[in-house]
Each structure stands twice: as structure tokens, then as C-alpha cells.
Amino acid sequence: MNKKLVFSHYADWYSVPDSILRSVLAEAKELGVENLVFTDKWITRILRNPEDMGFFRRVLKNFKFTDMHAPFGESYDLACADRGRRKDMIRDHERALGYAADFGCRTYTIHIGAYDSVFFHKPNSEIRSTALDALEKIIPFAEKYGVVIAVENAFERSNTPDEVMYYVDSVSHPNVGCCFDSGHALVMDSYPGKGAYADYMTDTVWSGKVENYSKAFEKMAPAMVTCHLHDNDGFSDQHLPPENGIEKWDVLADKLLLYAPKLISIQSEATVFQNGFALADIVKRYRKIFPALA
């Protein structure tokens, strides 16, 4: 196992009011949590109101950070097609990468984007030039700050493992790798006896026919620098803790530790508070899978 590999805990901290966030994080510290993911909600909040940085510096001072999730959504994703927004979007990622470096983060997970793919049925061939242009404009800032951009797979046509690797291979840059999201891969996996997806997934997201893709890990492993780990029922992105869905955790753990040579970090990404789980239970579950890390 890579001795520099670390485990970073993500949680939906944005669900916790500022007034008690310090107490909730103190509980995490008591449970032995040392590394946190700097979440997209936190960095988006700072970008919108820089004065909030002081609050986060105070609240987070007892933790280390290896990973940041970039702001995401229609106006932040690489495929953002809003001509009037793109210049500021690039600038926001530059600022976020600077904050990532300040907090000690080594990876910066970013989305290609699916807005035009889902709602306007735009083919990948028309999305690629826009997203690739944004990625190429962001790379110099990642290089400047010593952070690796990690392009994440999801469950839309524009975010398949093949599309992720298209961008990684196209730029072929040491500061660009990929983030393997196990939950997203599980949703899109095919296996004997798998039933039908919900209408929204079939009709809206995939325009009438879901195209499954298997072997997501194998496709992304050579360029994988970080990963998001969570569970689900195989049909929807539920962000459940381990052993609450159908993921084969022993197999996944072995693959991550043995067959991802560039892996820097492993991130939990279970939704804790909105799903009603105890923080102690979450920590216990990930520690069972990665006893030497979590």
C-alpha cells in the first residue's frame, strides 16, 4: 500500500448550523478523525463571501485537509455554456485552487457537467470543446498551486468513465487525473437481473434509453488520484454509508489498494446528517474497510 495514501472524511456539514458546527466537528475529532474533505458547499460559500474564511479557519483549525471538492453546478462545471459566465467561472476555480493550496489539499475534484446533456440533449461531441477549453485554462493554476485536478465520473451521458478519460488523456498533464466515484459507477453498472430505472433517469437524464457502463474502475484506475466512496441500491445516487446498499466493499477496497498506482487519497462521501446516520457509525464503517487508513 502507498505509504502516502490518506483517508479523508466527507460529510454533509452544510446541514449543520454554524452555531453547532464546532461541537459536531469536536465529536469527529474525538472519534479519531484527522483528515477532512473541504467540501464544495464550504468553498462556494467562501467564494461568494470571502469574510467567511475567518470562520472556517477557526472551526477547522484542528483538522488536516488532503482534498477539496470544487464548486459545481450549471455555472461552475467545465461544460458551462454561458458565455457571459465562463470568464468568472475560470476565475472562481483559480481562487478555489488557491484556497485549496492554503488548506493543504492535494486534489481538487471537478465535474464535467451535465446540464446541456440532460436538458438540451446536446451530444458529447458538442460539449467537449467547451469543457476542454475550461480545463486547459484552469490547469496553469493547478500547476502554480501544486494541486491535482481530479475529473469525476457521474451517471449522465456527458460524465461516463469514457468521457472522463477523454479529458484526462486529451490534456495529458501531471496536474490532471480522475476521481473515481464508486456510487455513481454502481448506479450505472450492469448485472444480470437488474431491473428498470426510475422514469426520471430513463426519460430525462438519458432521453429514453439508459446506456449502462461497466468496468468504470478499470477504465479510470491508471489516472485515478482520489475517489469518492458511498453505497446505494444500484439505481439512484443515495450516498449511503457502506453496507447499506449493494456495493461489494471487500472487492472494492482491494482494487483501490492494489490497482490504482497514482492514488493519493480515499474519500468517504456518505451523506450523514440528511440520511439520519450517527457520525460514530459512519466512522466505524469506513474504518472497518480501511483499518490502516480511516
Side-chain angles (χ1 to χ4, degrees), residues 96 122 124 135 155 163 210 285:
K122 187 177 287 188
N124 290 340
L135 180 58
F155 43 84
E163 285 303 296
V210 177
R285 288 176 184 272

Side-chain angles (χ1 to χ4, degrees), residues 151-164:
V151 185
E152 180 182 349
N153 63 300
F155 43 84
E156 304 93 356
R157 184 177 286 105
S158 56
N159 295 306
T160 67
D162 288 341
E163 285 303 296
V164 169

Side-chain angles (χ1 to χ4, degrees), residues 2 4-6 8 66-68 106-110 147-152 164-165 168 173-181 217 220-228 256 259-267:
N2 181 355
K4 295 182 180 180
L5 185 64
V6 300
S8 297
T66 300
D67 310 283
M68 177 181 284
R106 293 187 288 169
T107 74
Y108 183 78
T109 296
I110 197 166
V147 180
V148 181
I149 296 169
V151 185
E152 180 182 349
V164 169
M165 294 309 299
V168 174
H173 194 283
N175 287 83
V176 177
C178 62
C179 171
F180 169 69
D181 190 297
F217 178 91
M220 298 173 67
M224 194 183 302
V225 293
T226 191
C227 58
H228 294 163
L256 284 167
Y259 303 115
K262 295 182 179 180
L263 196 64
I264 294 172
S265 60
I266 294 173
Q267 303 179 43

Side-chain angles (χ1 to χ4, degrees), residues 12-27:
D12 48 329
W13 309 110
Y14 56 86
S15 301
V16 180
D18 285 357
S19 58
I20 62 171
L21 180 58
R22 193 191 303 269
S23 295
V24 173
L25 290 172
E27 179 184 354

Side-chain angles (χ1 to χ4, degrees), residues 7 9 28-29 32-36 62-65 287 294:
F7 191 98
H9 284 273
K29 194 70 176 180
V33 172
E34 294 186 357
N35 303 304
L36 297 181
N62 295 321
F63 295 92
K64 298 176 184 177
F65 290 87
R287 190 167 288 155

Side-chain angles (χ1 to χ4, degrees), residues 212-257:
N212 293 103
Y213 51 88
S214 300
K215 304 295 182 181
F217 178 91
E218 288 75 11
K219 291 179 179 180
M220 298 173 67
M224 194 183 302
V225 293
T226 191
C227 58
H228 294 163
L229 304 186
H230 48 104
D231 216 334
N232 60 58
D233 60 4
F235 294 94
S236 56
D237 190 26
Q238 298 165 300
H239 282 258
L240 298 173
E243 301 176 338
N244 280 273
I246 64 170
E247 183 67 78
K248 296 180 176 63
W249 286 97
D250 54 343
V251 175
L252 178 58
D254 284 347
K255 290 199 297 186
L256 284 167
L257 297 177

